[in-house]
Each structure stands twice: as structure tokens, then as C-alpha cells.
């Protein structure tokens, strides 16, 4: 605020210039590594009971946690979340009281801003604890097969009688209804069956999965959005509701223009295109002397800019390439010419040549190159947090910036059962001897 105030006093420029500078300074301020203030976070005061594991569910609840919700993660008292065992790599323990290789990088990716309680609801006292937690929570997120939680009286109908305002989100592979509803499904199965794998890969190659479990992630995003909409609805009606979210539906939704094209034309799709585009040329990656660079010639003007920067302005008037339709029909010819030219210089040399041209272009970076990218660093997308057992660890930050709130990494991903005593003692008012007995009986970790 002091910086913005100083800027306001010192600049006597046109209003439009001043406004632009204010916006630039504002976003620099909020993207810096400043500990988030909980009182301004959008979901401050919302409590979430997280009964999910692996990726789609934890990603959903992590988004809610980043936005200020108090997330209580329920884990098996011995194994914890499945992803705790998904390594290497592991962030190694520095605390001698913790045994094992460390905390898996996979688990660390999607469990920040949460508290962990190690609890077995195969025991009746465990179910009683969950029911007491439900009374204190606004949202419950689970990703068990449909009907699995009914035998523990943890299904929506049972919990609605305990807390009518509860928003209960179920994340499954194929939904609560339909012929596949009882089928378990990891991301890769849904990518295969629901079309994504068919359109991913090289033009003449085999179908491949996306490099990250994108269907899990989009399902987590859709579900977090649905939960926030349900919270708004509850503010009007006072009622909670059941949200049925699944990987298969979300994958269909994110086929986007590909699905629309198939529905409109009624024809067979055009399959895999690698980095190329079926309707735009040039629009793909090309080999440089030492890597790859991607060009996006989305219209005839941009194609002309590319021709000039590549040093072949005559391509703009070549009858084969004048319009995008011409270039699509003569795709092999223009791609071959561009590839031959691009191979003559390094990726960095081409980046410098194209700088300021207005032409969409990008280097094809590996993951370390991405995380160390100057723009990524400037946007505060990598931050460091002090883990109670592993010491300082680097994590990816939340991607959304607000003008009046600072979402981010408030707390590190918890160790298994780290907050069991706190949750039972402070929130549910269990006495120390009761907690000790439940641990002895294997209900708690």
C-alpha cells in the first residue's frame, strides 16, 4: 500500500497512463512472496471435510484451501493417502522422529493448506467422530465408489439429516448413475474411453495419454467451481445439496471444439495432429538447431510477420501460401520450408529474432526450464514453505491473483495425522484420555 501511495503522489501523467502504471504495480505487489492474510481470503470461515485421495479430489480441496477454507483431510491411520507411497522422488525427512524415505513429491503437490487427521471409519467410534465433524463443516468432498459410504452412514442422505446445510460433493470415475457408475476409473482409463487419447499424439503415431493427469485436474477444477456455486446458492436458500462430479463427464466437456465439430459435421474426426492444428497453418512446433520452437500463424497477417522474420518475405505472395486455406491445402510444402529454415539457428536466436514482432511463438521447455523461467519467477508461481519434517521445500503456488486478497501457501502439506489431537481436542472437545484410548484401539493415528 505504501508503494502504491508513493506512486500516486509522484506521477503527474495522463489518467490513462497513471491507471496503467497503477495496475502494473498492483499486480507486481500481489504476485510477490507475501504470506497470505486469512481475513481477506474469499473462503475464510468455510470448513471442508476432505475424504478424498490421489489427485482429482485432493486437487479440488487444495483449491478451496488456497482460497481460505479450513480443510480437514481424513486419512487412513496407517497408510494415509495412496500418494504418500507414490515415489520416488521424496522430500527427505530431517526430523529423526519420522521414519521412512520422506514425503512423496506427488502427495506434496496437492495437499497444502490442509490439516490431517488419521482416522479409521471401519470402527464405529471413527464414524461417530466423522458425524461430529460433519456438524461442524460446510462442505464434504469424497471420491469413493457410489454407495460405498452408505454402510458407514456417511452417504449424503444420512449426513443431510445431521447437517441440512451440508454441501456434499462426490467425485467418481463415471458418476452416480449410468451403466459404468460402479466401475473404478483412473485418469488414463477415462482419457482412453472418452476420446482424449485418440486425439493426442503424433499424426501417424499411436494414441498417447497427456503428460499430466489432466482429466483428474479438470475434474478437480469443475468440482471446486461447483462447490463455490453451491455455497452461493446456500446463502440464498439455506439448503445444502449433493454434487455428482465425475471424470468421464468432465472429459467429455473438455473435448470442447473437437466435440462440437463432430456434433455439427456428423463426420469422423481427423484424429491426432501432434503439435499441429487441423485448420490453421503454420501452427505447430519446429526443430531448431538445439531444440524446438512453436509458431502460431493464426491469420494471414501473422503469417506475413513470420515470413519477414524468417527472412523469406516472398512466401507471402507465393500462390500456394497467400491465404490460410491455401496453406492448409499445401501444408507439407510450407511446413517443409519453415522447418528447413528454422534448423539453421538455435532456439534462443529465434526467440530474439521474433521478440516484439507480435507473432505468437514459444520455446518448447522442459519442466526445469519452465519452473526456472523468468516469467514464472516474476509471477510468483514457485514458492518455498517450511515443512515440519522435511524442512524448506519448494512448491508450485496458487495461480490466481486477487486485488483485495492474497491466496497462496499458508501451511505446508501435513504429515499423516499431524493434526489429529488438535482437531479432536480443540474442535470436537475430546479429552486427552479419550484421544489416547482411541489411538490405542487403532481408530486414530
Amino acid at each position: 500500500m505504501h508503494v502504491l501511495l508513493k506512486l500516486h503522489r509522484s506521477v503527474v501523467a495522463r489518467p490513462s497512463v497513471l491507471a496503467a502504471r497503477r495496475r502494473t504495480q498492483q499486480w507486481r505487489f500481489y504476485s510477490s512472496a507475501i504470506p497470505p492474510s486469512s481475513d481477506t481470503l474469499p473462503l475464510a470461515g468455510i470448513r471442508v471435510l476432505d475424504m478424498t485421495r490421489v489427485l482429482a479430489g485432493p486437487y479440488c480441496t487444495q483449491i478451496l484451501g488456497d482460497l481460505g477454507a479450513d480443510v480437514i483431510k481424513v486419512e487412513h491411520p496407517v497408510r494415509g493417502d495412496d500418494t504418500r507411497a507414490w515415489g520416488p522422488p521424496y522430500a527427505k525427512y530431517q526430523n529423526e522422529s519420522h521414519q521412512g524415505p520422506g514425503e512423496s513429491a506427488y502427495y506434496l503437490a496437492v495437499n497444502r493448506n490442509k490439516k490431517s487427521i488419521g482416522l479409521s471409519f471401519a470402527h464405529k467410534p471413527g464414524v461417530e467422530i466423522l458425524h461430529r465433524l460433519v456438524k461442524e463443516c460446510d462442505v464434504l468432498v469424497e471420491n469413493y465408489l457410489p454407495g460405498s459410504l452408505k454402510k458407514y452412514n456417511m452417504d449424503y442422505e444420512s449426513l443431510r439429516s445431521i447437517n441440512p446445510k451440508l454441501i456434499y460433493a462426490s467425485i467418481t470415475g463415471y458418476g452416480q448413475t449410468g451403466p459404468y457408475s460402479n466401475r473404478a476409473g483412473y485418469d488414463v482409463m477415462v482419457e482412453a474411453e472418452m476420446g482424449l487419447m485418440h486425439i493426442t499424439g503424433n499424426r501417424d503415431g499411436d494414441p498417447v495419454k497427456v503428460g499430466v493427469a489432466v482429466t483428474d485436474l479438470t475434474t478437480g477444477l469443475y468440482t471446486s467451481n461447483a462447490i463455490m456455486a453451491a455455497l452461493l446458492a446456500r446463502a440464498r436458500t439455506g439448503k445444502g445439496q449433493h454434487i455428482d462430479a465425475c471424470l468421464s463427464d468432465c472429459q467429455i466437456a473438455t473435448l470442447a471444439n473437437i466435440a462440437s465439430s463432430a456434433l455439427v459435421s456428423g463426420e469422423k474426426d481427423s484424429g491426432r495432429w501432434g503439435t499441429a492444428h487441423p485448420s490453421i497453418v503454420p501452427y505447430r512446433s519446429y526443430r531448431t538447431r538445439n531444440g524446438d520452437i512453436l509458431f502460431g500463424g493464426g491469420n494471414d497477417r501473422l503469417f506475413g510477420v513470420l515470413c519477414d522474420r524468417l527472412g523469406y518475405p516472398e512466401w507471402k505472395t507465393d500462390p500456394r501460401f497467400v491465404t490460410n486455406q491455401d496453406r492448409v491445402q499445401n501444408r507439407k510444402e510450407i511446413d517443409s520450408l519453415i522447418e528447413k529454415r528454422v534448423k539453421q539457428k538455435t532456439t534462443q536466436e529465434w526467440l530474439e529474432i521474433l521478440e516484439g514482432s507480435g507473432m505468437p511463438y514459444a520455446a518448447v521447455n522442459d519442466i526445469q526450464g519452465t519452473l526456472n523461467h523468468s516469467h514464472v519467477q516474476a509471477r510468483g508461481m514457485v514458492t518455498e514453505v517450511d515443512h515440519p519434517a522435511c524442512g524448506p521445500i519448494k512448491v508450485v503456488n496458487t495461480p490466481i491473483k486477487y486485488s483485495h486478497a492474497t491466496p497462496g501457501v499458508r501451511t505446508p502439506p501435513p504429515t499423516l495425522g499431524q493434526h489429529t489431537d488438535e482437531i479432536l481436542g480443540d474442535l470436537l472437545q475430546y479429552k486427552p484420555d479419550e484421544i489416547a484410548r482411541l489411538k490405542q484401539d487403532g481408530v486414530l493415528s
Side-chain angles (χ1 to χ4, degrees):
M1 186 65 75
H2 173 71
V3 175
L4 294 177
L5 203 56
K6 183 177 180 181
L7 178 69
H8 174 71
R9 290 171 177 167
S10 62
V11 176
V12 284
R14 296 189 307 274
S16 60
V17 174
L18 180 58
R21 290 181 182 176
R22 279 176 177 165
R23 285 194 297 272
T24 301
Q25 185 64 44
Q26 181 186 58
W27 290 121
R28 284 177 182 168
F29 177 83
Y30 282 110
S31 65
S32 61
I34 299 172
S37 175
S38 60
D39 58 346
T40 62
L41 292 174
L43 295 183
I46 298 297
R47 183 173 288 127
V48 178
L49 189 59
D50 179 3
M51 297 182 63
T52 68
R53 62 263 190 238
V54 187
L55 186 53
Y59 192 65
C60 165
T61 53
Q62 179 172 271
I63 292 170
L64 302 178
D66 287 353
L67 294 173
D70 180 14
V71 180
I72 299 172
K73 182 178 178 69
V74 178
E75 301 189 69
H76 187 279
V78 178
R79 300 188 302 271
D81 189 310
D82 293 0
T83 60
R84 288 187 182 275
W86 288 9
Y90 295 92
K92 294 182 179 180
Y93 291 134
Q94 296 182 357
N95 189 328
E96 293 182 358
S97 64
H98 288 81
Q99 302 297 318
E103 296 287 298
S104 78
Y106 200 120
Y107 170 82
L108 294 173
V110 287
N111 287 289
R112 61 173 178 254
N113 295 330
K114 301 179 186 181
K115 297 176 180 177
S116 171
I117 174 174
L119 181 148
S120 171
F121 50 87
H123 299 73
K124 186 176 179 180
V127 175
E128 292 173 355
I129 291 170
L130 288 176
H131 283 181
R132 290 178 66 172
L133 283 171
V134 165
K135 291 180 182 179
E136 305 295 331
C137 289
D138 302 280
V139 178
L140 183 149
V141 188
E142 57 90 8
N143 63 349
Y144 290 82
L145 281 173
S148 298
L149 294 177
K150 187 174 181 60
K151 61 183 176 182
Y152 303 109
N153 294 319
M154 286 298 297
D155 58 302
Y156 174 64
E157 293 302 323
S158 297
L159 298 187
R160 185 172 64 169
S161 63
I162 296 173
N163 182 356
K165 294 185 176 182
L166 182 70
I167 293 162
Y168 187 113
S170 297
I171 299 175
T172 57
Y174 298 93
Q176 301 295 306
T177 60
Y180 279 18
S181 60
N182 288 318
R183 178 187 286 196
Y186 281 124
D187 173 282
V188 68
M189 286 77 181
V190 178
E191 282 192 43
E193 190 143 21
M194 298 301 163
L196 181 59
M197 198 177 290
H198 171 71
I199 58 172
T200 306
N202 291 328
R203 185 70 181 136
D204 300 316
D206 295 329
V208 298
K209 71 179 183 67
V210 179
V212 67
V214 67
T215 306
D216 271 335
L217 298 176
T218 55
T219 303
L221 284 163
Y222 269 112
T223 308
S224 65
N225 189 55
I227 288 168
M228 287 184 273
L231 286 169
L232 289 174
R234 191 183 71 174
R236 294 196 314 271
T237 66
K239 296 179 181 180
Q241 58 185 304
H242 187 198
I243 295 169
D244 174 7
C246 66
L247 274 65
S248 58
D249 289 355
C250 292
Q251 180 50 63
I252 295 297
T254 51
L255 287 175
N257 60 297
I258 301 296
S260 181
S261 296
L263 291 170
V264 168
S265 69
E267 299 174 356
K268 184 178 178 180
D269 63 86
S270 56
R272 294 175 286 284
W273 284 92
T275 60
H277 194 287
S279 307
I280 306 172
V281 176
Y283 195 102
R284 49 162 280 198
S285 64
Y286 297 88
R287 293 289 297 171
T288 68
R289 185 184 296 174
N290 65 340
D292 297 270
I293 191 168
L294 196 143
F295 301 137
N299 57 45
D300 297 337
R301 183 187 66 81
L302 291 175
F303 173 68
V305 171
L306 179 63
C307 294
D308 290 340
R309 294 295 171 120
L310 292 179
Y312 287 90
E314 62 270 23
W315 291 349
K316 292 184 290 184
T317 55
D318 189 313
R320 296 172 298 171
F321 311 139
V322 172
T323 69
N324 182 67
Q325 184 176 349
D326 296 328
R327 295 189 294 276
V328 170
Q329 291 177 349
N330 296 284
R331 181 190 299 267
K332 289 184 179 180
E333 289 87 343
I334 187 61
D335 276 344
S336 177
L337 289 170
I338 294 173
E339 188 101 61
K340 183 177 179 180
R341 172 59 173 150
V342 170
K343 283 182 179 178
Q344 295 172 8
K345 295 182 183 295
T346 67
T347 300
Q348 184 58 40
E349 287 174 327
W350 285 120
L351 293 175
E352 293 170 1
I353 290 170
L354 289 160
E355 176 68 29
S357 67
M359 171 78 193
Y361 62 94
V364 179
N365 291 320
D366 62 18
I367 303 304
Q368 286 292 350
T370 297
L371 296 174
N372 290 289
H373 195 289
S374 60
H375 188 77
V376 173
Q377 296 288 331
R379 292 287 291 174
M381 282 307 300
V382 176
T383 189
E384 192 172 88
V385 64
D386 193 21
H387 191 276
C390 302
I393 57 172
K394 289 183 178 180
V395 295
V396 172
N397 208 345
T398 185
I400 303 301
K401 279 75 174 173
Y402 286 70
S403 62
H404 299 295
T406 51
V409 184
R410 302 186 307 283
T411 60
T415 56
L416 176 58
Q418 179 181 342
H419 303 94
T420 299
D421 288 9
E422 174 189 332
I423 293 166
L424 265 72
D426 296 346
L427 180 61
L428 302 183
Q429 300 297 304
Y430 276 76
K431 295 178 180 178
D433 60 326
E434 293 177 302
I435 296 173
R437 186 166 60 252
L438 288 167
K439 289 181 179 179
Q440 188 175 3
D441 293 341
V443 179
L444 302 173
S445 64

